[in-house]
Every structure is written in C-alpha cells, then in structure tokens.
Amino acid sequence: MNQRLLLVSTMLMAGALLRMAPAAAEPYLALEEGYKCNVCHINPTGGGLRNDFGITYAKVLLPAETLDNALDSWNGKITDRLHVGGDLRADWSRDTAPNTSSQQAFSLEQFRVYADLTLIPNRLGIYVDEQVAPNGSQNKEAYVRYGNTTDGFYIKGGQFYLPFGWRLQDQTAFVREDTGINMTTPDRGVELGYEHSAWSAELDLTNGASNADTGSGYQVTSQIVYTKPIWRVGFAGSSTQSSAGDRRMGGLFAGLKTGPIAWLAEGDLIHDDSLERTLAAGLLEGDWRIRKGHNLKITAEYSDPDRAVRNNQQTRYSILYEYTPLPFLQLRAGYRHY
C-alpha cells in the first residue's frame, strides 16, 4: 500500500502587488451557502476568476481574520470593464511505499493569471485563463460569451473547461482523472447554457481531447443541475466520436448540508470502445468548517479501471486541513493513503 504525506498547496496570492484576486474552485463552499457557481464566479460553470461578490466573500467571510486596510477597497478591477486575477500555489510532498526509497520534493503547482473584459454589460464579454508556470505559458481558457450568464440563455465559443460533475480543486481525484474532464484538460468548441432560479444546464459541442492529434471526430457533453439551499443534484453525460475509439460517459453527483458538514458525492461510469472496457469511479467528501477560516476535509475515493477484471479496484482516503488566516492566503496540510 502506498502512503502519501501531503503538505499541499500553500497558496500565496499576489494580491496587492499584482492586483490579482484568488480563484480557487471549492464546491463545498457553494453547498454550505446554498449558492450556484455563478454567484461567485464569472464563469457560470464555476472556477477561475471571481466576480465582485466572490471577491467580497473571499475577503470577509472566508478568512479567519478580516483586515482593515487597503484590501477593503481592492476588487481586482483595472477599469469598470476590465477585471483581473491570479492564483499561485506551491507545495511540498513526501511519498513512501514498502521496499522503496521515500521521495520528497518542493514544487510549483501552478501560477495562473485571469482576465475578463466586459464589452456590453450582461451581454458580451471576453474571458482568458493563462497558466504562466510551470512548464512555460499555456492557455487554458480563451472564449467569447454572449448572453446573460446569471438568468437566461448564453453561448460561449473558444477554448474552455467542459462541465461534468463537481469542479474540484483536486484535479487528481479519481472522478476527474478517469473521466478525463477536469481543469487541466480544456477543449475547443461552443457551449450553450441556461441559468434560471434553481436550474443550471449546459450543452457543449467540442473537438474532443482524443481528437487533438487526428483532427477528426467530436465530443458532445451535457449537464443539468438543480440547486436548493441545503442540497443539490446533477446529471452529466458525454459522448466522444474518435478514430482512436469512441467513448461514452455518464455521471450522477449530489451535495447535502447536514449541520456544520457539507457532503459531496459523485459516481461515474465510462465505456471505452477502443479498449473494450468499462470503468467506474466514485467520490465521497465531507467538509467541516470548524470555525471561520478553518476547514477539515475528508475524502474516500474508488476507481475500477476495468469492471470485467476482478480484484483490480483501487481505494484511496485523504484527510486535509485548510487554514485561511488572511484574505487571499491559504495553508493546507494533509495525508493520503492508497
């Protein structure tokens, strides 16, 4: 069995110096507050740059201590139409396994910058997410959106993250790795979305990640979420046509707030025609906001890389403590057992 000691993600936000706002996707926060993703994020499917309310939440409600200084008036806006932000995360990890030498290292997980240019308020805008480091500059999102992303229909075209299940901060979660849809694998195409009251829905037509080299085929992804103050449920599906082999996926995800604990669950089923196999992945996460600025996260994960093969399943358990002492700064320490 592998054991992994994680002192993960010391997120140092370059706030006052770089005029950036943090933008970490944590769906348990939305579940705790009864919010939809578009309440705090410019992207209606969550993640990336925060809007005005999201920045206020990060300054006032999230940290253990609220500072009475220049940060009070800072909102990441260069002008009324141009909004910028950023995210810097570094970590140290140690991996141990029987009969092997332990491995440990410091690393730069990511440094990203975000920008949103509003051309016509509540109607037309341009959004960019650029990873500066590591491994050089890489564009993650760059799209034009048209329509109302808070109440009504909208369409966006360009490069963006696909909607499928929980938009977790941990991109190594089995449900994000096995589906191949996460915040490291953007795709190019168009998305038609709908936001109204408790409902959110998206329909995407994109190239498909498996078609990046061949230039043939396509991917259709859809998701619908129903949100209430203490619970929500969502369904997601995706179908990829590719010369390398077709792929079909379905997922069910839900959240429930019980007192001080927010529970997230997701189950996904994936079928690969090329390898003639069916995969399954699952996640159960509990987040306990012990007090302001302190969160305890416990996760249990399951992955079956081929349901036709017996005894090849993998389970994984994690415990993580998140401490947000000040606005735009978070320290995290955790342990993961395979």
Side-chain angles (χ1 to χ4, degrees):
M1 298 291 291
N2 263 346
Q3 294 183 346
R4 186 175 186 182
L5 176 63
L6 300 174
L7 294 178
V8 181
S9 299
T10 304
M11 301 197 302
L12 304 175
M13 301 305 168
L17 292 178
L18 299 182
R19 292 180 59 83
M20 295 182 179
E26 283 282 22
Y28 82 86
L29 294 172
L31 181 60
E32 283 184 348
E33 305 293 348
Y35 297 155
K36 297 168 67 176
C37 296
N38 61 6
V39 173
C40 289
H41 292 276
I42 289 176
N43 188 340
T45 56
L49 186 63
R50 288 187 173 118
N51 56 27
D52 290 345
F53 179 82
I55 292 174
T56 301
Y57 185 90
K59 290 195 295 186
V60 178
L61 299 178
L62 191 57
E65 180 183 355
T66 301
L67 299 180
D68 184 15
N69 56 25
L71 285 177
D72 291 340
S73 60
W74 175 76
N75 57 12
K77 287 186 176 181
I78 303 300
T79 70
D80 289 340
R81 300 291 181 92
L82 179 61
H83 190 181
V84 299
D87 191 359
L88 174 62
R89 305 180 195 171
D91 69 75
W92 178 84
S93 64
R94 177 181 174 89
D95 296 277
T96 64
N99 305 315
T100 61
S101 300
S102 298
Q103 296 182 346
Q104 61 186 33
F106 288 96
S107 65
L108 176 62
E109 182 182 340
Q110 71 173 24
F111 177 31
R112 292 190 181 188
V113 294
Y114 310 92
D116 181 75
L117 177 61
T118 299
L119 301 175
I120 303 175
N122 299 319
R123 185 65 62 87
L124 182 63
I126 299 174
Y127 182 85
V128 176
D129 171 355
E130 189 78 13
Q131 179 170 304
V132 179
N135 305 320
S137 181
Q138 302 175 40
N139 179 248
K140 294 300 183 180
E141 288 192 294
Y143 61 81
V144 176
R145 67 180 181 278
Y146 174 75
N148 192 330
T149 57
T150 59
D151 187 12
F153 287 96
Y154 70 88
I155 186 170
K156 61 186 183 184
Q159 179 166 289
F160 46 82
Y161 302 119
L162 298 179
F164 194 101
W166 290 114
R167 185 147 284 181
L168 303 171
Q169 191 178 81
D170 181 10
Q171 306 307 307
T172 66
F174 288 150
V175 291
R176 298 284 65 85
E177 285 192 331
D178 290 355
T179 60
I181 297 180
N182 54 57
M183 294 183 72
T184 66
T185 57
D187 206 353
R188 297 176 180 176
V190 294
E191 175 177 293
L192 176 64
Y194 177 70
E195 296 285 342
H196 180 67
S197 185
W199 291 97
S200 299
E202 298 86 31
L203 177 64
D204 295 53
L205 177 61
T206 58
N207 293 332
S210 59
N211 298 316
D213 297 327
T214 63
S216 62
Y218 59 88
Q219 182 170 347
V220 178
T221 306
S222 60
Q223 179 172 275
I224 185 168
V225 183
Y226 184 68
T227 301
K228 298 299 284 184
I230 65 169
W231 63 273
R232 66 196 60 197
V233 62
F235 302 90
S238 183
S239 176
T240 304
Q241 185 182 76
S242 171
S243 57
D246 297 346
R247 190 176 221 230
R248 297 179 299 278
M249 303 188 297
L252 170 64
F253 57 102
L256 176 66
K257 181 181 178 182
T258 57
I261 301 177
W263 300 95
L264 284 72
E266 180 174 343
D268 301 319
L269 202 62
I270 307 110
H271 182 76
D272 276 325
D273 287 353
S274 59
L275 300 176
E276 297 183 349
R277 65 172 182 172
T278 300
L279 303 82
L283 166 78
L284 178 63
E285 174 181 314
D287 289 270
W288 176 23
R289 193 102 70 102
I290 299 172
R291 66 173 185 259
K292 195 168 179 279
H294 298 261
N295 181 65
L296 179 64
K297 183 191 302 288
I298 299 177
T299 64
E301 299 180 74
Y302 172 84
S303 176
D304 186 347
D306 191 339
R307 299 190 69 200
V309 178
R310 298 182 62 185
N311 301 322
N312 69 335
Q313 301 88 352
Q314 184 177 12
T315 56
R316 185 167 69 183
Y317 305 93
S318 305
I319 182 169
L320 185 72
Y321 196 86
E322 301 173 323
Y323 174 45
T324 308
L326 305 171
F328 314 135
L329 171 66
Q330 186 178 72
L331 309 175
R332 315 173 80 205
Y335 174 82
R336 173 167 281 174
H337 180 80
Y338 291 78

